[in-house]
Amino acid sequence: DPGYRLRRAGYSSWSWGENIGCGDGYASAKASILSSHLRMQAEKSTSGGHWLNMKNGRFHYIGIGIWRYGSRTRLVTDFYRP
């Protein structure tokens, strides 16, 4: 629950968004993260949720988490407004 995680970190607002990207089989975490980010940007034409989170001017802060295990990479991006 991203809201719970943000409250534990000291943020008290309920104005937040989260993007999660997953990539398997990439040679590096960098390649996987770039691929996830490009897929999220590709949502621009359809106003997809990932794109809307990235472009939302109400969010003032961002937290980024990366987890790598073998060839699997997970990217979590939390957006927040106090």
Side-chain angles (χ1 to χ4, degrees), residues 1 6 8-10 15 19-20 40 46 57 65-66 68 76-77 80:
D1 173 12
L6 288 165
R8 285 192 59 200
S15 182
N19 289 350
I20 299 175
M40 291 175 190
T46 60
I66 300 167
R68 176 92 169 154
V76 177
T77 310
Y80 181 78

Side-chain angles (χ1 to χ4, degrees), residues 20-36 39 65-76:
I20 299 175
C22 303
D24 294 330
Y26 289 90
S28 68
K30 179 181 176 181
S32 179
I33 291 166
L34 179 59
S35 176
S36 290
R39 282 193 308 270
I66 300 167
W67 174 78
R68 176 92 169 154
Y69 182 76
S71 65
R72 294 181 174 186
T73 303
R74 302 296 180 256
L75 168 66
V76 177

